[in-house]
Amino acid sequence: MNEINPPQAAEYLRFLPEIILIVAGALLMVLEGVTTTPAQKRRLGYFALAAIAAAMLGGVAANNNSGQAFHRMLTVDGYGTFFRELVLGVGFFCLLSSFEYLRREGAETGEFYALVLFSLVGQCILATANDLLMVFIGLEVSSIASYILAGFLRGDRRNNESALKYFLLGSFATAFLLYGMAWIYGILGSTNIDDIHNVLSGTDRIVPLPLIGMAAALTFVGFAFKVSAAPFQSWAPDVYQGAPAPVSAFLSAGPKAAAFAVFFRVFMTGFGPINGRWVPLVWACALLTMIIGNFAALAQTNVKRLLAYSSIAHAGYILVALTADSQVGMAAMMFYLASYGLMNVGVFAVINHVANRHEKFVHISDFAGLGKREPATAALLTVFVLSLIGVPLTGGFFAKFYVFRAALDSHLIWLTVLGLLNSAVAAYYYLKILAAVYMQEPGEATSTLQPLEPGLRLTIWATALGTLLLGIFPSALIGFVSNSAATVLGKLGP
Amino acid sequence: MNLWLIPILPLIGFLINGVFGKRLAKPVIDAVAIGSVAASFAYTLWALWSLYPIDAAHHESYFTWFQSGTFQVGVDFFVDRLNAVMLLVVTGVGLLIHIYAIGYMAHEGGYYRFFCYLNLFMFFMLVLVLAQNFLLMFVGWEGVGLCSYLLVGFYFQEKFATDAGNKAFIVNRIGDFGFSLGMLLLVTVFGTLDFFKMSDAAKGHPIETQAGVLTLATLLLLLGATGKSAQVPLYVWLPDAMAGPTPVSALIHAATMVTAGVYMIARSSFLFAHTPITMRVVALIGLLTAVMAASIGITQNDIKKVFAYSTVSQLGYMFLGLGVGAYSASIFHVMTHAFFKALLFLGAGSVIHALSGEQDLRHMGGLRKKLPITCWTLLAASIAISGIPPFSGFFSKDAILAAAFHHGQYGPYLYLIGVLTACVTAFYVFRAFFMAFFGEYRGHAHPHESPLVMTLPLIILAVFSVAGGFISVPKWLAPMFPLAGGDDLNLEIISAVAGALGIAAAYFFYVLRPSAAETFKNKAGAVYTLVNNKYYVDEIYNIAIVKPLLYLSRVVLWHGVDEDGIDRNLVDGAGRRARDLGGALRYLQSGSIRNYATWVLTGCLLVILIIGLAGGVR
């Protein structure tokens, strides 16, 4: 940085979603102090929803002004905008479905909403980060808010355990990431992703490759932890199982998508020139993640834990796209995360509905007879589950289709075959849910169901509709993500 | 032009009745169901009127459905002269049958459900007809199959109805398997599924005198067509499908869905033109089906079964026409057949309705006076199917037979067998007609003429059955399919006489000398038993295919592979292994975060090791 220029107005515009969220979050913290009744608190929730919606619009405005900002710290491009909108959408629906949950637990506070907004700020920064420093800041902002959210019901032991594990292990993994970043700065003299790419692909300077490999390995550990890839997945089941259901939905979709966004951006652009080093690693990691996720899920009876393992397995599929290391793979990853976000938020919303007070009913057997009690909810749950399996006419099908096609295009035949076998195994544990829903008589959980609350209803319908839309008309989205991926990878030299 | 409106309107009807039907009053359900189809028909008329004379196909692209590399499938509709005919038949006859169904289904349970399925069927059928590529057509193709399954099994409390529904579905699966394989093959050959792009690409392809890739592809498509259009060897589902309500038999299993196979082959004529071998197979299958089904028709006593076999037989004629290259004659026959066969079924429905569900011809008789409108309209349809000029069936059937006669050195034999079958057709259709309407009443119900809402469609269809032959479809289609051969007066006279002979024979056996039929039946003995049991085709399939398949599924796949292999070893085993793994991981899940951290550290070392081993960069 030779000279210090004050940022231009356009650069603030590119940062608009984050600004909106920060202001709204701060306002919420202030208002929290002056509101007392649950009805007032609920209004704070609506305010948070409006803030997210405004941030989404801000994201569109930022995209219309795409470019870099703040000394190349951020890059607002189609790719970044896609993930901004994705995490904001996930945040919106998780917040919407949390109202009923918090009311049930008697824990409606503005704090919760503010934390969701703060976590979203971090995720939005991750989506557009163009510098390892911003990556770190985004990761921390997002994670610290998430740690608190995971333990939000302070009286609940499961919540506490979940939060503590998430926090300690998360910090541990972040330390690796930071250490890797420090190495990179030490070796290359920059933390900017574009610079890293240029130095690594340039021939004018001799780079100590083993040291760079070491640094890449350390950052890899950090990212792999955040996306719950094996062998760093062990926190996910405990955390997802213990956290409040809407928070589990949020954690499994939002931060994961943001982490994948930056994972792909750093490795495919920054470390792109040394892909010979990390592709074999990701290959092994993808396979291990799929296997651990799917096979551990077979024996689960707790739906939240099952979905935690399923979320690990899905991370494995997405890593297959990273192994492909191509533009098609990047586009496939984006499509995958969009459809995964929709179906996961949807399925957690149904769990939220069935779970009842203090999450009493979160076993597969508790879903027995849902098909009889609430045919519509059961039908939508079926849509989500089929999408998780990857049945045609749902988003999950095309997500897997594009990922494995990208893998085949990159001649990863064995990984594709093993991945497809894995997704066949997955059908077994997903179908256990549907078998309970349709083939068993209603039990205690489904007999004492409360009527479906409007917020949850909207969440479930909207996500189901989105899942089906992606499954029937994938081309609209695939066109956008292909272009975005082309921009990210195209601006780089050969 | 918004072609998408044509299928969407019935879909809207389906959605309204499907979601709210339970709570809606009957008149509202009627208004939605009939109104949506009527609007679709009206819009079709308007669209065709404004496009007239449709010299070039009118295309509409809505969006790219999906894309993978250079291969892309769009949701594109189009209209040309060929599917204009189909559109009019489907929406027009469909509308009449919808109206008729108000009366027929008035006293049935599941009223809204019935109209719901019927509207959904219209949607899929129209998608099938309007689609501009094979895959979109396949969506409609599968959709109508689904609706057919739902409607055949409409009386789902009855085991025979659900069995028939399953049979229709499973048999069609075989055909659809062929269709989809054919499609995949075409993708690998042409890289597209669009009819027009493929047609252009196919022009450069040589005609395959020896079997080649196109021959295989067209044979697979043909397999699909034999399933949907009930041809040998997959015709067995159609007679059973009569378990559905009669309007369904008229709409789906006579006038529209079963002709989808004919339409599909005519639509892909640019492929079939390159494969003379397949064409020969098409003609032979058509002829064999026509003869076989007609002979079975003689022995049936269930009025709907008689007409079902006659449908199979008439579809055989259409395939014969396709096989000899007379596409326009086949489509002509699709249209006239839609008129007179829909009328036959609706008339039969009127009789069944009047007799409170009686379908056995032996318990009918003398209904001429009780059901005058039904009787006269059915007479018109029977004459039409018998091929007596100037009724509609004569023109289309004659066009097919004439084309067969002029087709190569074996043409005259094809013609001869066709004419004999026409004579048999006239005989068994009039046998049913005379048994129902002449002689003395042999049943115990109190027959009454059906209400206007049912008789009006009968009358309209009767007008078209009589005069529909003057709508010269071959001339209309001449720009697409050149006219084959001129009029041959001798051939026309021969086939007309054959029809008349059949009617006369039926009159002799079933009106003048009813006892003669019985004597004849006894004399024929073994042959009669063979034909009456439908050549034991169902039984042969049962022994040769169904039983081994069941054995394979039950003993090998279920008990062997599934229970022993998958459940015991893989699933339980995997579960056990997962539990073992869980045991190993229990150190991790003990709540001790130190163990978690140890894992992360171990993982980290592994990662560095792998990256180190993967060294030797660039």
Side-chain angles (χ1 to χ4, degrees), chain A residues 387-400:
Chain A
S387 182
L388 284 165
I389 298 174
V391 173
L393 290 188
T394 61
F397 167 74
F398 277 107
K400 284 208 175 69

Side-chain angles (χ1 to χ4, degrees), chain B residues 85-95 97-98 118 121-122 124-126 128-129 141 144 148 151 228-229 237 247-264 311 315 318 334-335 337-339 341-342 345:
Chain B
V85 177
M86 295 298 289
L87 278 178
L88 284 176
V89 169
V90 172
T91 51
V93 177
L95 176 62
I97 296 173
H98 270 70
L118 223 51
F121 168 79
M122 292 297 285
F124 280 123
M125 189 68 207
L126 290 166
L128 191 162
V129 171
W141 185 276
V144 291
S148 159
L151 285 163
K228 188 93 356 189
S229 292
W237 63 272
V248 171
S249 313
L251 177 62
I252 300 184
H253 304 119
T256 56
M257 183 187 84
V258 288
T259 60
V262 182
Y263 169 71
M264 189 263 280
T311 304
L315 287 165
M318 296 174 206
V334 166
M335 184 188 79
H337 177 254
F339 296 145
K341 185 51 63 68
F345 271 111

